Amino acid sequence: MEASSCLRYQVHGVGLCRIWLCLLLVLVLQNCSPVLSDSPYLVGMGSYDITGPAADVNMMGYANTEQIASGIHFRLKSRAFIVAEPNGKRVVFVNLDACMASQLVNIKVLERLKARYGDLYNENNVAISGIHTHAGPGGYLQYIVYIVTSLGFVRQSFDVIVDGIEQSIVEAHNNLRPGEIYVNKGELLDAGVNRSPSGYLNNPAEERRKYQYNVDTEMTLVKFVDNELGPVGSFNWFATHGTSMSRTNSLISGDNKGAAARFMEDWAEQNGLPKQMGQANSNEFGSLHLGSVLPRRVSTIIPEPNEITDDLMQLASSYEASGGRRLASSNITKRIRSSRENNAKFVSAFCQSNCGDVSPNVLGTFCIDTHLPCDFNHSTCNGKNELCYGRGPGYPNEFESTRIIGNRQFLKAVDLFNSASEEIQGKIDYRHTYLDFSQLEVSVPTSTGGQKVVKTCPAAMGFAFAAGTTDGPGAFDFKQGDAKGNPFWRLVRNVLKTPGKEQVECQAPKPILLDTGEMKEPYDWAPAILPIQIIRIGQLVILCVPGEFTTMAGRRLRDAVKNVLISGSNGEFDNNIHVVLAGLTNTYSQYITTFEEYEIQRYEGASTLYGPHTLSAYIQEFQKLATAMVANKEVQTNIQPPDMLDRQIGLLPGVMFDSTPPGVKFGDVSLDVSANSTFRKGSTVNATFYSACPRNDLLTDGTFALVEKLNGNDWIPVYDDDDWSLQFKWSRPSKLSPRSFATLEWTIPEDAASGVYRLRHFGASKPLIGSIKHFTGTSRAFAVR
């Protein structure tokens, strides 16, 4: 009796334990596992510093050998979002504050992702796109024509971009949480003009009548909302060149799109995003950027004191320059990080689209000698292309033009962000393939209504390529619209490579200046194998293209893909589908014009590498990808791009050593802030320090420059070299001198708190013998009223 009762108790007890264990497991999974969430997606955002060497390296974009980096306007970032179905596919989109994506960078990033995550992230579902700033360090692409002005491959430029992309994706992956995505679009009219209007006018009149403008004015924005933290980021696509900063600028800068991203991330932080649900209020911060007011990025915890008093001025005068001192490298990053570093951050990216013929220099093109408008057809002044320049809205101040165009994009993005109400719904999908564009067969319509098969060509650049554009003119006697070439430059060309008859006929009417696709020594001069990719997130479809499509070329591609998706999807897609074109993605192959624009041979046509049928090839192959997507079929690829990392040649010499005059330490002040100085908001403060080459340590995710504010007995960091208001300028007294100087120039924002401030410089010096040493130094204090 007692034994039987005990046995029943044990069995019953075991059953209760199992029940409670199951209930506990369910509760844990509900609270900890995003897979069981009701949200249709997991979303994750990440960003990381990719600024690169701020000295000695040629900038990528203008191909101007004299445009050498010598400081930082503001830092460059890699920004990533990941969207995943809880139990299904996922996609990664990365936006780089760089001139363009690089095939070699892509290859090495994918290798790292495979080592970390296996097959979770691969070439099919990862897209890496550049914003097309012309103010970032070059030397990170693998083909000779794109690195010749940087004296070949620059390992520092390459490594910092690969590292930064990887870290931004890792951060986005670690931040994956249940969330929702919204899409919105609107018109932005004053951030771009067509810089090759004569080429655009050669498109059929019937086609041009379908559009009100000769540039795309639509911005498409996606808004990411974490179910707990609220809005965590936004990415948008809008077409305008990253050429507000000129070909003579030497400060690293994200140009207008990088500026817009910083403005929006600052706006989000000031409005408490993330960390709160609901919409942000754009009024306060929107008006902030209409004027000269610029926000602080590093510290937002400093209270506004009373007006400057004699006591505060006396306090400022008591703090002299500190003098240079050694600093442990591990302390540099720790010293300047934001008080928000451990909190979730808002990530905003302003991505590039079909910007091929779109300039941010919206005031028009003028001759610098006469100030009269340039010639319409050839963009010349008295027959000379080098005198014709576009003017930005802040002319003649390129920093102001950059701010204005960036601000216009930022304000439109905030408006779209706040009003976004269309929720993205539907599955995640992607298709990707590699194609040999040097010999692709393309079916094109004939004048009689039939079809014929033509071929693309090995890459080649025309004479008008050397003329440059109104954003950055070339030199000598080249001019846009040249469909003939000239005998002298043909002789010069033939020293490198004489194009054969077949190539000349294939590329016609382009007169070939550089037959890059057939130049193979010491290794390939131009790409042949290119990736094309479609990413789908519900009703948002991203066309990832490895070049710069002109306005009309982009319109044709988007329309062609949209028609395939709608007509073949059995109702899965309708006219509400949002098709965006992400330019300069996964690799770079210069321009893509329409057939009609190619005939005119302005800069964009001369830079369309694979001949007059390049756009038709893209349309044909993207239609195949779209057809495979709606049919739920895989796409096979039988070729791979080359990995030429081991063949790269870099001729840029390393840093030999740094030195200072006798009795002077690194970090000592060479030219200090004036004693007993008081500055008003809007004025500029600067100090110059004895410094060393920034290539010794890139201070990635750190800073070379800092503005500190006295708060009690502590100096608090308030602005760093990622701020719009603080510039870090580096120089040598002569080209080969081991001595150098760092000038910190702070334009005091209108919203800066009154009080006592000082400037601090960080750097790293290389001795002739021994290891690199880090240092710091500060200016004397000054008052801001």
Side-chain angles (χ1 to χ4, degrees):
M1 186 76 174
E2 292 176 3
S4 175
S5 175
C6 181
L7 180 62
R8 287 196 305 271
Y9 176 79
Q10 288 176 340
V11 172
H12 184 61
V14 170
L16 285 174
C17 287
R18 287 177 177 171
I19 291 171
W20 282 110
L21 184 61
C22 289
L23 288 172
L24 180 62
L25 183 60
V26 169
L27 287 172
V28 169
L29 288 173
Q30 284 180 335
N31 284 280
C32 299
S33 174
V35 174
L36 297 182
S37 169
D38 291 334
S39 293
Y41 306 116
L42 309 178
V43 298
M45 316 293 291
S47 65
Y48 202 77
D49 187 7
I50 60 166
T51 300
D56 299 332
V57 177
N58 183 252
M59 288 182 167
M60 183 66 204
Y62 287 116
N64 177 16
T65 56
E66 297 179 358
Q67 189 188 14
I68 306 297
S70 60
I72 298 174
H73 179 205
F74 58 86
R75 287 187 170 258
L76 309 180
K77 295 288 182 69
S78 169
R79 295 175 170 89
F81 75 73
I82 300 177
V83 179
E85 296 170 337
N87 288 302
K89 293 183 175 181
R90 61 181 59 201
V91 292
V92 182
F93 190 91
V94 180
N95 187 65
L96 299 179
D97 285 347
C99 193
M100 67 280 290
S102 158
Q103 199 167 71
L104 189 58
V105 166
N106 257 45
I107 290 170
K108 296 308 174 184
V109 167
L110 292 172
E111 287 179 359
R112 292 193 183 187
L113 293 177
K114 184 174 180 61
R116 278 183 180 270
Y117 301 113
D119 294 328
L120 192 62
Y121 302 112
N122 53 66
E123 63 191 16
N124 297 307
N125 65 352
V126 175
I128 302 173
S129 181
I131 63 171
H132 211 37
T133 175
H134 286 41
Y140 63 92
L141 292 92
Q142 70 173 349
Y143 296 101
I144 288 179
V145 75
Y146 305 132
I147 58 175
V148 64
T149 57
S150 60
L151 299 180
F153 190 69
V154 180
R155 189 70 194 226
Q156 270 191 322
S157 293
F158 175 80
D159 285 343
V160 74
I161 293 176
V162 173
D163 293 344
I165 295 171
E166 180 188 20
Q167 290 304 314
S168 65
I169 293 175
V170 168
E171 185 175 281
H173 176 87
N174 292 339
N175 287 337
L176 277 170
R177 297 163 55 89
E180 298 170 339
I181 311 171
Y182 298 86
V183 62
N184 200 3
K185 58 187 178 182
E187 196 169 55
L188 176 57
L189 296 177
D190 54 358
V193 295
N194 197 304
R195 70 184 186 189
S196 290
S198 60
Y200 181 89
L201 285 174
N202 205 47
N203 291 308
E206 182 180 356
E207 181 180 34
R208 287 186 281 111
R209 281 195 292 268
K210 292 163 55 180
Y211 305 100
Q212 185 175 359
Y213 303 102
N214 62 2
V215 295
D216 278 344
T217 58
E218 188 170 82
M219 175 185 286
T220 301
L221 177 140
V222 287
K223 173 180 178 178
F224 300 94
V225 181
D226 185 291
N227 283 359
E228 293 186 14
L229 301 179
V232 291
S234 69
F235 276 53
N236 70 72
W237 290 264
F238 177 78
T240 193
H241 248 80
T243 49
S244 293
M245 302 295 288
S246 75
R247 66 197 298 271
T248 61
N249 163 65
S250 65
L251 299 184
I252 291 174
S253 172
D255 210 275
N256 56 70
K257 286 191 176 289
R262 267 141 189 78
F263 296 162
M264 192 153 184
E265 287 174 348
D266 291 341
W267 165 82
E269 181 174 337
Q270 290 193 2
N271 282 277
L273 300 178
K275 288 293 186 186
Q276 65 183 34
M277 297 295 290
Q279 294 184 341
N281 177 12
S282 66
N283 293 332
E284 177 183 353
F285 203 80
S287 61
L288 184 73
H289 278 279
L290 290 173
S292 61
V293 180
L294 298 167
R296 53 178 176 261
R297 292 182 50 81
V298 180
S299 176
T300 57
I301 62 174
I302 298 175
E304 177 76 39
N306 296 326
E307 280 297 307
I308 291 294
T309 63
D310 291 341
D311 290 341
L312 279 177
M313 293 180 64
Q314 185 175 357
L315 179 62
S317 66
S318 68
Y319 287 91
E320 292 295 323
S322 67
R325 62 183 178 87
R326 290 278 181 87
L327 186 66
S329 61
S330 61
N331 290 336
I332 293 180
T333 300
K334 181 179 178 182
R335 175 70 183 85
I336 60 92
R337 292 331 307 149
S338 165
S339 60
R340 291 174 55 88
E341 63 181 346
N342 295 320
N343 297 334
K345 62 186 179 184
F346 188 93
V347 178
S348 179
F350 285 69
C351 310
Q352 196 54 269
S353 190
N354 52 321
C355 68
D357 53 359
V358 187
S359 170
N361 296 312
V362 295
L363 297 187
T365 59
F366 297 88
C367 300
I368 59 176
D369 55 347
T370 66
H371 301 286
L372 296 174
C374 304
D375 170 75
F376 181 80
N377 289 317
H378 302 289
S379 296
T380 57
C381 302
N382 294 321
K384 298 181 179 180
N385 67 282
E386 60 265 37
L387 298 178
C388 177
Y389 279 86
R391 293 181 180 178
Y395 175 83
N397 187 329
E398 63 189 291
F399 293 97
E400 182 64 4
S401 291
T402 301
R403 186 195 68 81
I404 292 172
I405 297 296
N407 189 56
R408 289 172 180 174
Q409 292 177 77
F410 154 69
L411 291 176
K412 173 52 65 175
V414 169
D415 177 57
L416 296 175
F417 181 87
N418 284 339
S419 60
S421 60
E422 180 186 340
E423 186 173 356
I424 288 181
Q425 296 177 324
K427 66 180 181 181
I428 292 173
D429 207 354
Y430 41 80
R431 293 294 184 277
H432 173 284
T433 192
Y434 289 109
L435 300 165
D436 186 347
F437 266 76
S438 70
Q439 52 181 356
L440 203 60
E441 291 189 347
V442 187
S443 180
V444 298
T446 64
S447 58
T448 60
Q451 293 284 316
K452 66 176 180 179
V453 175
V454 296
K455 292 184 70 174
T456 55
C457 325
M461 298 190 292
F463 275 70
F465 158 79
T469 72
T470 55
D471 293 333
F476 304 112
D477 55 348
F478 297 101
K479 65 180 180 180
Q480 295 193 65
D482 183 358
K484 295 181 180 179
N486 76 47
F488 173 77
W489 290 111
R490 290 182 192 276
L491 289 174
V492 174
R493 171 202 67 190
N494 292 344
V495 173
L496 294 173
K497 173 72 171 65
T498 303
K501 179 182 178 182
E502 184 178 354
Q503 173 75 324
V504 170
E505 292 176 350
C506 185
Q507 291 279 351
K510 176 199 294 177
I512 298 173
L513 176 64
L514 291 173
D515 190 13
T516 52
E518 298 182 317
M519 296 165 70
K520 304 293 183 181
E521 298 297 333
Y523 47 89
D524 291 358
W525 280 57
I529 298 172
L530 302 178
I532 63 170
Q533 181 182 33
I534 299 179
I535 287 176
R536 177 196 174 183
I537 307 170
Q539 68 268 38
L540 174 70
V541 176
I542 306 171
L543 309 182
C544 302
V545 298
E548 302 175 60
F549 277 60
T550 61
T551 298
M552 194 65 84
R555 287 167 174 168
R556 290 184 189 177
L557 178 61
R558 288 197 304 261
D559 288 346
V561 172
K562 184 176 181 178
N563 289 335
V564 170
L565 295 175
I566 292 175
S567 62
S569 63
N570 296 320
E572 188 175 352
F573 291 105
D574 56 28
N575 284 324
N576 196 40
I577 184 175
H578 301 274
V579 181
V580 298
L581 189 148
L584 306 113
T585 301
N586 294 330
T587 189
Y588 184 63
S589 59
Q590 293 175 252
Y591 285 75
I592 301 93
T593 64
T594 66
F595 180 86
E596 296 82 2
E597 291 165 349
Y598 186 91
E599 289 183 310
I600 297 300
Q601 280 297 296
R602 284 186 63 100
Y603 174 83
E604 295 81 11
S607 303
T608 295
L609 295 184
Y610 308 104
H613 303 294
T614 300
L615 175 60
S616 296
Y618 273 103
I619 290 174
Q620 172 183 283
E621 298 304 318
F622 265 99
Q623 285 176 320
K624 291 179 181 178
L625 289 191
T627 300
M629 180 174 284
V630 297
N632 200 28
K633 293 181 179 180
E634 296 302 316
V635 176
Q636 300 298 322
T637 183
N638 299 316
I639 55 176
Q640 291 288 323
D643 177 349
M644 298 189 292
L645 181 59
D646 293 338
R647 301 181 65 187
Q648 295 301 307
I649 298 172
L651 302 179
L652 179 70
V655 180
M656 297 301 293
F657 68 98
D658 300 286
S659 70
T660 59
V664 174
K665 302 186 296 295
F666 290 106
D668 280 356
V669 174
S670 169
L671 182 63
D672 207 348
V673 179
S674 299
N676 301 314
S677 295
T678 301
F679 296 88
R680 293 189 177 275
K681 297 169 186 179
S683 59
T684 299
V685 187
N686 54 62
T688 300
F689 299 81
Y690 289 97
S691 190
C693 185
R695 286 196 287 153
N696 294 326
D697 187 333
L698 303 183
L699 300 188
T700 300
D701 217 25
T703 190
F704 291 100
L706 200 63
V707 176
E708 297 178 318
K709 184 178 183 297
L710 187 62
N711 189 32
N713 294 320
D714 298 322
W715 290 98
I716 307 297
V718 284
Y719 301 91
D720 64 14
D721 66 15
D722 193 27
D723 272 279
W724 181 273
S725 63
L726 179 61
Q727 294 184 3
F728 162 63
K729 299 180 178 181
W730 181 82
S731 63
R732 289 189 178 99
S734 60
K735 188 171 184 179
L736 299 178
S737 174
R739 296 179 183 176
S740 63
F741 299 93
T743 297
L744 277 54
E745 187 173 289
W746 182 42
T747 301
I748 304 170
E750 297 294 338
D751 68 339
S754 299
V756 176
Y757 291 82
R758 68 181 183 184
L759 305 178
R760 178 185 287 274
H761 171 48
F762 294 95
S765 63
K766 181 179 181 181
L768 189 59
I769 299 175
S771 60
I772 289 173
K773 307 294 183 182
H774 292 83
F775 63 86
T776 187
T778 67
S779 73
R780 64 165 53 98
F782 54 92
V784 172
R785 69 168 71 244

